[in-house]
Amino acid sequence: MIAATNLLGNLDKALLRAGRFDHKIEIHLPNPVERAAILRIHLENKRHGLQPLDISKAATMMDGWSGAEIENTVNLAALEIVH
């Protein structure tokens, strides 16, 4: 079984006993280089005037953002450009 949570502290202690979920893998939020790569992926098929330096600067400003949050922001911005 595979399970995921972002609220490990809220899980019932019975689930965390030995023999239940023995292997835990923590996935960290992306670093600035990874955020820039995520931005480039989601900007690929969208009209924008961003230069590579702009993308790197934006990625730095998105500290603590998940890939999903970055994707959502790009999609919302694309909707604003269309209207």
Side-chain angles (χ1 to χ4, degrees), residues 43 46-47 71-82:
L43 288 169
K46 297 188 175 58
R47 284 186 16 225
E71 178 185 15
N72 187 48
T73 299
V74 169
N75 289 337
L76 289 172
L79 288 174
E80 288 297 319
I81 291 172
V82 171

Side-chain angles (χ1 to χ4, degrees), residues 2 11-12 24 29-30 32 40 42 53 63 77 80 83:
I2 296 175
L11 291 178
D12 188 317
K24 295 178 183 83
L29 292 171
R40 281 191 293 279
H42 292 295
L53 186 59
D63 188 34
E80 288 297 319
H83 289 52

Side-chain angles (χ1 to χ4, degrees), residues 26-53:
E26 188 172 341
I27 299 173
H28 299 280
L29 292 171
N31 65 37
V33 173
E34 294 164 339
R35 289 191 303 269
I38 293 167
L39 266 171
R40 281 191 293 279
I41 288 167
H42 292 295
L43 288 169
E44 239 172 45
N45 298 317
K46 297 188 175 58
R47 284 186 16 225
H48 65 84
L50 295 174
Q51 300 300 315
L53 186 59

Side-chain angles (χ1 to χ4, degrees), residues 59-72:
T60 301
M61 295 169 58
M62 295 176 164
D63 188 34
W65 289 33
S66 69
E69 291 170 314
I70 294 169
E71 178 185 15
N72 187 48

Side-chain angles (χ1 to χ4, degrees), residues 5 7-18 20-21 24:
T5 183
L7 299 170
L8 187 59
N10 290 351
L11 291 178
D12 188 317
K13 299 300 177 206
L15 289 173
L16 303 175
R17 285 196 311 245
R20 302 286 171 108
F21 291 97
K24 295 178 183 83

